[in-house]
Amino acid sequence: LLGQILDQWFESEPLKATLATDAVIGAMASPHTPGSGYVLLHHVMGELEGRRGAWGYVAGGMGALSQAIACAAAARGAHIFTEKAVCHVLLGKDGRVQGVVLQDGTEVRSKLVLSNASPQITFLELTPQEELPKDFVQRIQQVDMRSPVTKINVAVDRLPSFLAAPNARDGRPLPHHQCSIHLNCEGTHLLHQAFTEATHGHPSSRPMIELCIPSALDPGLAPQGCHVVSLFTQYTPSVLAGGQPWDEQARNAYADTVFDCIEAYAPGFKASVIGRDILTPPDLERIFGLPGGNIFHGGMSLDQLYFARPAPSYSGYRSPIPGLYLCGSGAHPGGGVMGAAGRNAAQVALEDFRQL
């Protein structure tokens, strides 16, 4: 249990709760859920420019990272097509991959297909079911896809000023504006309470909020004097109690709760808001193809990691279909902007390609 680990090392409740947020981020779990300690470990793996366990902002926004990868691929001869949805994976009579078929009927032939989509979409929607082992299909169907995340993007006309650290007179960003700001983290019991509400189908009344202001580091993201605020919040259930829909009223009611919480820490925040974009779990599924809205393509619980991700005997990126590989967050080692799954999958695919 994460709570036990934190209690061994720290005395401060706000510090323990702040650290605990990285153990439950993107997970329908509380700090008291068995296995939650691993998710904290997962978030300090790797390095950034030689600094172990470090995180960083991408200049130009997260889309700039995709553009950098695309430019590197194009420089090596890759052809990139966007807005071209795949209908299904094309198989030969021998059961091997022959490419993919697009929704407009176009066939793209290839000896190898690497899917960055979730295991559910890859194997349950795009791959002919009769070509997959029944126990494999059942395992993919059983993957826990619950997500507690509602992402809110906000445009503000001034920098938030927190009671604990008021803004300077010149209004310039202070060090804390350039970091991840965790709210409603005075104690781990608050995180557990927020989790418990969501398990009963109700959005948290005092949600866990991770607030970032990327424009404090990258001014080009917003007009002068204005800022963009990224709110990563939980817990919000994918399905509301009583089967109520995540309609406009429900989405705005939850966002208002989040904004009321921020207002308590930074008076004037609500008045500074120019616009907001609310993405509940169903929105994340619809827009980004994330089943259940899960940002990790599946829960990061210990029963869905390592040799069991996405299914036992298939953690090595190969699938039951020869030539079809899984290279996204649903493969080992799981979610996070680190590229480990993609790099590993590429190495496996190249190894197989050389033997064709």
Side-chain angles (χ1 to χ4, degrees), residues 115-138:
S115 174
N116 190 46
S118 69
Q120 288 77 8
I121 291 177
T122 301
F123 300 118
L124 303 182
E125 297 183 21
L126 301 181
T127 307
Q129 297 295 283
E130 64 273 12
E131 300 296 331
L132 295 170
K134 290 185 178 180
D135 58 342
F136 176 82
V137 171
Q138 185 178 28

Side-chain angles (χ1 to χ4, degrees), residues 42-88:
H42 185 86
H43 281 87
V44 296
M45 287 181 180
E47 64 179 35
L48 176 64
E49 296 181 346
R51 294 182 58 191
R52 294 182 62 184
W55 291 64
Y57 290 104
V58 179
M62 287 302 292
L65 177 59
S66 300
Q67 291 299 322
I69 295 172
C71 289
R76 294 293 185 116
H79 297 272
I80 299 173
F81 302 90
T82 58
E83 305 298 327
K84 295 287 184 181
V86 173
C87 180
H88 64 265

Side-chain angles (χ1 to χ4, degrees), residues 223-243:
Q224 187 173 2
C226 297
H227 288 276
V228 289
V229 178
S230 173
L231 303 176
F232 192 99
T233 78
Q234 55 189 83
Y235 297 77
T236 48
S238 297
V239 180
L240 296 174

